[in-house]
Amino acid sequence: MLAVSLPANGYFVTYKEQYYRLFHLHLIQYPDDSMENIYWLEKALKADFANPLYALALIEDEIQWEKYRYLFTMHINLKLVEQYMFLGNKWNKRNAYFYNAPWKNQNLESLETAETCFRTALYYWDEAVAWSKKANDRRFRWIPLQKVQFWEDEAFRIENGKLNYGRTIKRELDMLQKVREKFEQMDNYYRIENSIN
């Protein structure tokens, strides 16, 4: 039997919208999944927008196009915040148990990695807030964008303070610092415990 080979139909990923479509969530989010999503989302931030004809929303005029670009960039930054939070939580220690003293250095390294992720998330949160302010400008108030209303909801929730990842991230960093201090004090506790025995 003769097999016929057909050419694979492929295309180059070039535009923000194409990179954004590569972003996906898993039921169980492993660090590799988060890092893959971060890669695609950061590529999306750097890429150009596709022609408005291929936008993820219905674009009929220049003002809608401008609002769409602001909302899209805000949304990408929010997704990066979430992914860096997922990633940071994989390395974050919620408590410094006494029996972890022999692995103190490894736990401190893990906390350092988590802190880096949380600080990066904080950077993207600040970016999301800045783009949200642009998207919430008065001239865009009554300009709806069909198919991406949830982006508008995100911008509105940021504006009125109901969506505030900044507060969450700062709480995580404070908790992380307390756990770090407990791990750093373990040398003294471990030495005292061993000298008693």
Side-chain angles (χ1 to χ4, degrees), residues 8-104:
N9 292 330
Y11 64 92
F12 289 107
V13 177
T14 309
Y15 300 109
K16 285 184 185 294
E17 290 83 356
Q18 293 172 318
Y19 282 114
Y20 177 69
R21 286 190 178 112
L22 295 172
F23 163 77
H24 57 283
L25 290 178
H26 300 268
L27 181 61
I28 299 173
Q29 192 85 5
Y30 293 106
D32 285 348
D33 300 326
S34 295
M35 287 187 267
E36 178 188 357
N37 280 333
I38 287 168
Y39 175 79
W40 296 128
L41 292 169
E42 287 182 343
K43 293 286 269 184
L45 272 182
K46 294 175 186 170
D48 291 330
F49 282 96
N51 186 295
L53 191 61
Y54 303 108
L56 301 177
L58 178 63
I59 306 296
E60 296 176 327
D61 59 33
E62 291 172 3
I63 196 84
Q64 284 182 335
W65 177 235
E66 185 178 357
K67 182 178 182 179
Y68 168 81
R69 293 192 319 260
Y70 295 156
L71 285 172
F72 188 94
T73 308
M74 176 211 67
H75 180 69
I76 293 289
N77 279 289
L78 282 177
K79 291 298 156 197
L80 280 162
V81 169
E82 292 170 4
Q83 291 302 305
Y84 274 106
M85 290 292 290
F86 285 145
L87 198 56
N89 279 318
K90 294 295 182 182
W91 279 285
N92 194 9
K93 306 295 178 195
R94 296 284 176 205
N95 205 338
Y97 297 105
F98 71 94
Y99 50 78
N100 285 334
W103 301 281
K104 179 189 104 164

Side-chain angles (χ1 to χ4, degrees), residues 133-143:
K133 285 180 183 172
K134 289 181 179 184
N136 282 323
D137 190 83
R138 294 183 75 198
R139 61 198 171 101
F140 297 131
R141 288 290 175 175
W142 305 109
I143 311 249

